[in-house]
Amino acid sequence: VFSSAVVREFNYLFIHSSSLEGTMVNAAADIRKVLYLSLLLLSPVASFLQPNLAQRPLLAGKNILGQYEQRTTIQSTTAHHYYNNRPSLTTSLKSSSTDNNNNNDDDVYFDIRTTLSLVAGQSFLIVIAVLSALYFKIPNYGFGPNISFNNAALLDGCIRMLPFVVVAFLLDFVEKSVPALQDVTKATQRSILALLGGKFKPVLAITVSIALGLSAGFGEEMLFRGIMQTGFQSQLGDTLSLVLTAVIFGLLHAVTPIYAILAGLAGAYFGWIYQVVGNLAVPITTHAVYDIGALLYAHWTVAQMTEEEQQALNEWEPYKRNEELK
């Protein structure tokens, strides 16, 4: 996902990248092109699906053609940008759904337009990945030369997802004594509150979780591992390309500092799987299966909260603790 703060940091890096040498300059230019292309393509989709999403300038600097001193205003509909900028959900309209089994009628936090917007935005990453693959001449539209969704690859991907479960259990065990980890949980839960509301909706939750999990698994792995890591590998080697791609992946998930670090480590793990196996279907499966399970679990935990807890979660903002300390 692409947040405004991260894009500004990358914009600063690219403008001041003249001190870098050789292939690093080319790598910075490639990253910039992918970021700008992604944000420019997401903007009209966001406007069409959810005209009420908050808007603000995101980029100032070079545009996608490399022209300087031209300012660009872009609207983004990705989960973390909307999460940071959306109006209070308590003032949103009640869901128009008539599904009594899902109890949507009295869910003040649920708006189907928001859900469709976020699913569409995440799904559009696949289109961005394909276009980027064509631009950078990556084989098989970003899937790489050895792509194969056979049973062995799918099973391998599911097995390689298990370390995430172990890490999640350990983090949950120590979370109460680590405020930064509590912020990671709140950030995730607040996004889920915006995505699925505060009432338990099993059918909708499964559908949306599968859609988002597959979109993230395919779109992000194609874009970051299949295209970005592969492109860097020929210029920077295996280790540096893996590390650089993981850092970018983490920064683009920078809801909180710890969130960015955890996402970067996850990105490094996905990249390592791809380097070891050589089949992008394996990290795609690992990524997708974990995201589906994590989304469903997060929705269940949010639905178990009291109305007061959900209201407090809705009003919580990332970095608020740091601002209070300052």
Side-chain angles (χ1 to χ4, degrees):
V1 295
F2 302 92
S3 67
S4 60
V6 174
V7 173
R8 282 198 297 269
E9 291 299 321
F10 272 109
N11 197 51
Y12 178 87
L13 170 65
F14 301 140
I15 290 176
H16 295 81
S17 62
S18 58
S19 61
L20 300 178
E21 298 292 339
T23 56
M24 288 301 293
V25 174
N26 295 331
D30 289 346
I31 299 169
R32 184 191 68 240
K33 290 176 183 177
V34 171
L35 288 174
Y36 283 140
L37 176 63
S38 301
L39 288 163
L40 288 170
L41 289 174
L42 281 171
S43 180
V45 175
S47 301
F48 175 76
L49 289 172
Q50 178 55 291
N52 296 323
L53 288 179
Q55 301 182 39
R56 67 173 178 173
L58 295 185
L59 300 176
K62 294 186 292 184
N63 64 9
I64 196 171
L65 299 178
Q67 299 171 334
Y68 287 82
E69 299 179 356
Q70 177 178 356
R71 303 187 65 85
T72 306
T73 300
I74 295 177
Q75 178 188 30
S76 173
T77 187
T78 57
H80 291 293
H81 178 67
Y82 178 64
Y83 158 75
N84 283 324
N85 296 279
R86 70 184 188 282
S88 175
L89 290 175
T90 56
T91 61
S92 64
L93 296 175
K94 293 183 178 181
S95 168
S96 60
S97 172
T98 58
D99 186 355
N100 293 327
N101 292 330
N102 286 341
N103 297 320
N104 294 342
D105 292 337
D106 58 345
D107 192 343
V108 296
Y109 296 104
F110 179 69
D111 188 336
I112 190 63
R113 295 173 301 173
T114 299
T115 303
L116 291 176
S117 297
L118 299 180
V119 171
Q122 184 70 52
S123 302
F124 204 65
L125 284 179
I126 299 175
V127 178
I128 294 171
V130 171
L131 294 177
S132 299
L134 293 174
Y135 181 85
F136 293 109
K137 297 180 174 60
I138 303 296
N140 292 329
Y141 303 100
F143 282 112
N146 302 316
I147 186 69
S148 177
F149 286 94
N150 53 45
N151 292 335
L154 298 179
L155 179 60
D156 191 15
C158 291
I159 293 174
R160 292 179 186 272
M161 181 271 300
L162 296 179
F164 282 106
V165 178
V166 175
V167 172
F169 175 80
L170 295 176
L171 292 178
D172 186 64
F173 182 75
V174 301
E175 181 181 302
K176 292 183 179 179
S177 58
V178 183
L181 289 178
Q182 296 174 20
D183 287 347
V184 172
T185 298
K186 289 178 181 178
T188 302
Q189 291 175 338
R190 190 167 185 256
S191 297
I192 293 298
L193 188 64
L195 179 68
L196 293 169
K199 304 293 183 181
F200 187 55
K201 309 173 182 67
V203 176
L204 180 64
I206 292 173
T207 303
V208 171
S209 296
I210 292 175
L212 283 177
L214 291 176
S215 298
F218 277 89
E220 293 185 5
E221 292 310 303
M222 290 169 66
L223 188 60
F224 288 97
R225 259 59 67 178
I227 297 172
M228 194 172 291
Q229 182 171 310
T230 299
F232 292 159
Q233 201 165 4
S234 60
Q235 304 178 49
L236 307 176
D238 292 347
T239 302
L240 189 55
S241 63
L242 189 152
V243 172
L244 182 58
T245 304
V247 170
I248 296 170
F249 186 77
L251 289 175
L252 293 176
H253 289 78
V255 183
T256 72
I258 295 297
Y259 200 114
I261 293 173
L262 294 175
L265 292 174
Y269 180 62
F270 294 138
W272 174 79
I273 292 175
Y274 185 40
Q275 285 188 353
V276 171
V277 178
N279 181 3
L280 194 64
V282 178
I284 286 175
T285 304
T286 301
H287 194 154
V289 172
Y290 176 76
D291 276 7
I292 292 171
L295 288 169
L296 289 172
Y297 178 73
H299 174 55
W300 181 81
T301 58
V302 169
Q304 304 307 307
M305 293 180 177
T306 64
E307 293 183 2
E308 292 76 14
E309 290 172 333
Q310 290 181 354
Q311 178 64 29
L313 181 64
N314 179 51
E315 295 172 354
W316 176 85
E317 296 179 2
Y319 305 106
K320 188 174 182 180
R321 179 183 290 107
N322 292 336
E323 292 176 359
E324 291 175 352
L325 292 175
K326 291 179 181 179

